Amino acid sequence: MGPQDPSAKIRALVVDDEPLARSNLSVLLRLDPAIEIVGECGSGMDALEKIRSARPDLLFLDVQMPECDGFDVLEMLGPDLPPAVVFVTAYDQYALRAFEAGALDYLLKPFDNPRFDRALERAKLAIKRGNGAPRALDRLAIKSVGEILFVRISEIDWIEAADYYACLHVGPRRHLLRRSMGDLEKELDPQAFCRIHRSTIVNLARVERMEINADGEYGVLLDNGTSLRMSRRYSKELQSRLGVRQGHLS
């Protein structure tokens, strides 16, 4: 994402379930000739579709919306997250979590024009600094009760399918992520993660050894003692990913 040259306009999307709030933000954005508004959305689900199609550089995102709030949007966007996100809300209790979730700024309603201008300048500077740089997926956003957690991908031990969710195992903790295993497999670094079963993905750095038990079933033992079932079809792929370090079955 992001403008392709310094003269290109910054593409902005406004998401808020209140029409007046959307209108106020759009009016302020149109005062800046460097901004192009690519759309307004009144719900989180509409925002997801619009972000993926319009690929804005800047997102003004309301926190509290029915059915799918601002934290839900961040969780489900994955690598489609715009370069600059500014949260907009009437409630200050979400500020810390917003910044932890990667928000560039946090506008508390009602805000005045100078405060908006500061947020917009921060966003423009951040977009300029990151222009042309690929976005590295190093964390996953996970919606929790009234907040969003960011889990570092390098800290994930393994991932398992859980109905319509993916369950991330991070040490003794488990986190449910509303993403499919197929989507996660495409997004994760293949040099760091490998699918060993239709319902299991492992962090290669956690693999201690591969095994075949007495019944001829394949398995993977992690360095924390976790034993995982492995499909035969994935065994050669895992050995290839592990390379000469651990390329044999025990």
Side-chain angles (χ1 to χ4, degrees), residues 145-221:
V145 180
E147 63 184 26
I148 192 167
L149 305 174
F150 256 46
V151 173
R152 293 189 182 279
I153 290 177
S154 61
E155 297 177 355
I156 298 173
D157 299 320
W158 62 288
I159 306 169
E160 67 176 325
D163 293 328
Y164 300 104
Y165 292 78
C167 181
L168 311 182
H169 292 259
V170 184
R173 301 182 304 279
R174 297 182 180 183
H175 304 287
L176 286 178
L177 178 68
R178 287 194 290 184
R179 304 278 283 286
S180 72
M181 295 290 281
D183 287 344
L184 282 176
E185 186 178 19
K186 294 175 184 177
E187 296 168 12
L188 295 171
D189 182 358
Q191 300 302 314
F193 286 85
C194 182
R195 197 161 191 163
I196 63 169
H197 190 274
R198 61 182 177 83
S199 61
T200 310
I201 296 173
V202 296
N203 183 339
L204 295 175
R206 302 292 194 271
V207 175
E208 185 172 286
R209 66 176 181 267
M210 300 167 60
E211 304 173 316
I212 300 180
N213 64 22
D215 297 324
E217 294 183 347
Y218 286 68
V220 172
L221 184 68

Side-chain angles (χ1 to χ4, degrees), residues 20-223:
L20 181 58
R22 293 198 304 272
S23 177
N24 289 341
L25 283 168
S26 294
V27 167
L28 292 173
L29 286 169
R30 290 191 178 97
L31 296 176
D32 192 320
I35 302 296
E36 173 189 359
I37 299 177
V38 297
E40 298 180 8
C41 298
S43 73
M45 295 308 296
D46 288 343
L48 286 169
E49 181 178 347
K50 188 66 175 180
I51 290 168
R52 287 167 176 154
S53 62
R55 302 184 69 81
D57 309 298
L58 171 59
L59 176 64
F60 282 87
L61 180 63
D62 187 19
V63 172
Q64 284 203 319
M65 294 180 289
E67 296 182 357
C68 180
D69 64 21
F71 291 137
D72 290 320
V73 171
L74 287 190
E75 178 185 13
M76 291 186 282
L77 275 176
D80 295 325
L81 189 69
V85 177
V86 176
F87 267 116
V88 184
T89 181
Y91 304 92
D92 61 1
Q93 67 263 37
Y94 301 115
L96 177 59
R97 286 298 178 184
F99 286 118
E100 290 180 347
L104 181 70
D105 209 335
Y106 187 94
L107 287 176
L108 187 62
K109 302 174 185 177
F111 51 83
D112 55 23
N113 287 16
R115 178 66 184 90
F116 173 85
D117 290 341
R118 290 197 300 273
L120 183 56
E121 286 305 312
R122 287 190 66 191
K124 289 164 68 175
L125 181 59
I127 293 169
K128 180 179 179 180
R129 286 174 175 171
N131 188 24
R135 293 181 61 85
L137 184 64
D138 63 348
R139 296 184 297 172
L140 291 172
I142 300 173
K143 172 73 182 297
S144 185
V145 180
E147 63 184 26
I148 192 167
L149 305 174
F150 256 46
V151 173
R152 293 189 182 279
I153 290 177
S154 61
E155 297 177 355
I156 298 173
D157 299 320
W158 62 288
I159 306 169
E160 67 176 325
D163 293 328
Y164 300 104
Y165 292 78
C167 181
L168 311 182
H169 292 259
V170 184
R173 301 182 304 279
R174 297 182 180 183
H175 304 287
L176 286 178
L177 178 68
R178 287 194 290 184
R179 304 278 283 286
S180 72
M181 295 290 281
D183 287 344
L184 282 176
E185 186 178 19
K186 294 175 184 177
E187 296 168 12
L188 295 171
D189 182 358
Q191 300 302 314
F193 286 85
C194 182
R195 197 161 191 163
I196 63 169
H197 190 274
R198 61 182 177 83
S199 61
T200 310
I201 296 173
V202 296
N203 183 339
L204 295 175
R206 302 292 194 271
V207 175
E208 185 172 286
R209 66 176 181 267
M210 300 167 60
E211 304 173 316
I212 300 180
N213 64 22
D215 297 324
E217 294 183 347
Y218 286 68
V220 172
L221 184 68
L222 304 187
D223 57 10

